[in-house]
């Protein structure tokens, strides 16, 4: 039976979202289904009339697959169950979203989001009787169930390239270069880029560090005749006394500068910091993210076509499967301190702050 489905992207943007959209539209088109794009996540369903754009396959003939960002727009603010109002109060606006969804005559919804957005979308779907399938995206790669979320590979590419670009200048000036990367509470970007980019020191929130170990690593490198060092630090790594480096808006930020200073004090090595920030999110999607995004997009439509709902499509063991949404998002996926990445890093004598 022909269906009309809604599609939205929610939470922080990342590389590969347009690839997901393209795949959903393409697969749905093959089934004779209509796709209505909802703008700026759930905000599009709070607008009156709802902010939507019909999506057709011909829109994707050009360069959209290759572009960063999301053509639908997104938001990582404004939980509809506690929506911040102008007068400073919080209001439950979930009913308005469900009402708009119904007014559009949609049969199902596909939402692309991280764990926070997916939890909100699941709650809305349960309340409104909406058939819902989720697709995991986040540069942080911390949606527990999936091996890869859309956007992660691009962020790792950008961070690796930053280390590639820092190495020559570090060597030219005999400096320690500290690169601060995103990742929210997880160290996935830092550890993967650290290994790929040949970092000497990788600090992630999952592994407690000691400043003496970091200083000792730098002196070992000196003893070997090395005049520079590369360090990568995940934004959520706490300061020595245990507090997180946060900006005034409650976002992480500043731990790179903190370490650059500590390293100078502890070793006398001249240090500089680079804070990579949102270039990890807005870069053109890597081939891996275009692949993961399109595979998940096709699978999401097929999951709905199979009559399933309240599922998350995930990448696991060289395949895509769908799993119950609640199970998939119940625990954030941190870096496993005994997992492959950490074993590899230790095998390469990368200093993780505890060795
Ligand atoms: O969750 C994705 C992410 O990029 C985190 O890595 C980072 O801490 C946060 O979003 C930044 O959020 P904003 O775009 O609101 O500054």
């Amino acid at each position: 039976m022909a269906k009309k489905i809604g599609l939205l992207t929610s939470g922080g943007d990342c590389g590969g979202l347009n690839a997901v959209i393209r795949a959903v539209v393409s697969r749905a088109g093959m089934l004779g289904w209509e796709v209505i794009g909802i703008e700026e996540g759930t905000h599009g369903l709070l607008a009156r009339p709802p902010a939507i754009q019909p999506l057709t396959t011909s829109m994707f003939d050009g360069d959209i697959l290759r572009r960063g960002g999301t053509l639908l727009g997104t938001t990582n603010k404004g939980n509809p169950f506690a929506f911040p109002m102008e007068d400073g109060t919080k209001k439950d606006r979930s009913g308005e979203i469900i009402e708009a969804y119904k007014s559009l005559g949609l049969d199902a919804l596909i939402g692309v989001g991280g764990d926070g957005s997916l939890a909100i979308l699941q709650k809305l779907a349960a309340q409104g009787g909406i058939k819902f399938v989720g697709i995991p995206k986040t540069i942080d790669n911390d949606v527990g169930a999936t091996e890869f979320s859309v956007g992660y590979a691009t962020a790792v590419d950008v961070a690796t390239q930053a280390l590639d670009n820092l190495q020559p200048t570090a060597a030219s000036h005999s400096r320690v270069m500290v690169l601060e990367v995103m990742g929210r509470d997880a160290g996935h970007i830092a550890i993967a880029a650290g290994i790929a980019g040949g970092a000497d020191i990788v600090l992630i929130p999952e592994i407690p560090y000691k400043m003496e170990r970091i200083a000792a690593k730098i002196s070992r490198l000196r003893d070997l005749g090395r005049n520079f060092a590369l360090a990568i630090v995940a934004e959520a790594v706490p300061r020595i006394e245990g507090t997180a480096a946060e900006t005034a808006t409650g976002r992480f930020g500043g731990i790179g500068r903190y370490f650059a200073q500590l390293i100078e004090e502890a070793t006398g090595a001249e240090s500089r910091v680079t804070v990579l920030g949102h270039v990890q999110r807005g870069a053109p999607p890597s081939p891996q993210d275009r692949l993961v995004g399109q595979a998940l997009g096709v699978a999401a439509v097929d999951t709905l076509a199979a009559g399933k709902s309240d599922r998350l499509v995930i990448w696991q063991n060289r395949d895509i499967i769908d799993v119950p949404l609640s199970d998939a998002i119940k625990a954030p996926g941190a870096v496993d301190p005994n997992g492959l990445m950490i074993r590899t890093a230790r095998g390469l004598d990368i200093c993780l702050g505890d060795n």
Side-chain angles (χ1 to χ4, degrees):
M1 200 184 81
K3 279 194 201 298
K4 190 174 174 188
I5 61 171
L7 172 64
L8 58 81
T9 50
S10 182
D13 73 329
C14 60
L17 290 177
N18 290 323
V20 174
I21 298 169
R22 176 185 196 251
V24 168
V25 173
S26 170
R27 184 68 188 133
M30 287 173 70
L31 298 175
W33 297 3
E34 214 182 314
V35 182
I36 301 297
I38 297 161
E39 296 175 6
E40 290 183 35
T42 48
H43 285 193
L45 294 176
L46 286 172
R48 293 295 178 271
I52 55 162
Q53 37 174 309
L55 300 171
T56 54
T57 44
S58 62
M59 293 169 68
F60 298 91
D61 290 343
D63 67 348
I64 286 179
L65 175 66
R66 297 164 230 288
R67 272 201 240 151
T70 160
L71 71 92
L72 290 174
T74 186
T75 178
N76 62 2
K77 290 199 280 287
N79 176 352
F81 291 95
F83 196 87
M85 304 300 284
E86 269 177 18
D87 63 3
T89 59
K90 299 259 167 84
K91 186 177 169 194
D92 181 353
R93 298 186 67 189
S94 55
E96 294 170 56
I97 290 181
I98 293 162
E99 181 189 274
Y101 172 86
K102 297 212 161 131
S103 76
L104 293 169
L106 297 174
D107 298 303
L109 180 68
I110 292 178
V112 194
D115 51 0
S117 303
L118 289 169
I120 290 170
L121 291 167
Q122 185 187 35
K123 202 168 159 191
L124 282 168
Q127 187 175 315
I130 296 170
K131 287 190 181 5
F132 177 72
V133 170
I135 297 178
K137 70 85 231 173
T138 164
I139 65 165
D140 307 331
N141 208 32
D142 60 351
V143 177
T146 189
E147 283 161 19
F148 302 111
S149 58
V150 180
Y152 172 59
T154 303
V156 171
D157 279 9
V158 172
T160 303
Q161 205 173 56
L163 287 173
D164 291 350
N165 294 346
L166 286 169
Q167 190 276 330
T169 176
S172 302
H173 284 267
S174 302
R175 284 174 172 163
V176 176
M177 291 296 185
V178 179
L179 178 67
E180 177 183 316
V181 295
M182 284 184 165
R184 217 175 39 170
D185 300 311
H188 292 289
I189 298 173
I191 191 71
I195 293 169
D200 304 296
I201 299 159
V202 177
L203 301 179
I204 59 172
E206 293 86 347
I207 298 189
Y209 65 89
K210 285 206 162 52
M211 201 50 221
E212 306 88 83
R213 305 283 181 181
I214 299 168
K217 172 73 182 180
I218 290 169
S219 34
R220 280 203 304 280
L221 289 173
R222 278 185 180 143
D223 294 347
L224 291 168
R226 180 89 91 66
N227 71 330
F228 73 92
L230 295 177
I232 183 164
V233 185
E235 61 181 354
V237 171
R239 299 190 192 93
I240 287 173
E241 74 279 8
T243 56
E246 281 175 343
T247 64
T249 57
R251 298 274 189 272
F252 288 122
I255 198 66
R257 180 160 302 284
Y258 174 81
F259 274 109
Q261 201 171 328
L262 285 186
I263 287 171
E264 276 201 358
E265 284 164 13
T267 67
E270 193 179 27
S271 301
R272 292 288 187 271
V273 62
T274 301
V275 181
L276 213 42
H278 291 80
V279 295
Q280 294 159 98
R281 296 237 302 254
S286 69
Q288 167 85 354
D289 272 333
R290 297 183 207 179
L291 169 64
V292 170
Q294 291 188 100
L296 289 169
V298 167
V301 175
D302 285 342
T303 302
L304 283 178
K308 297 189 217 173
S309 173
D310 199 25
R311 313 287 292 179
L312 185 72
V313 287
I314 60 166
W315 188 290
Q316 212 176 70
N317 298 326
R318 294 170 171 257
D319 203 355
I320 289 185
I321 56 168
D322 58 276
V323 293
L325 190 45
S326 313
D327 293 354
I329 58 175
K330 69 175 172 242
V335 175
D336 176 358
N338 301 309
L340 172 67
M341 291 295 143
I342 298 302
R343 294 196 313 270
T344 304
R346 292 197 192 286
L348 293 167
D349 197 23
I350 293 173
C351 171
L352 298 171
D354 65 348
N355 55 331

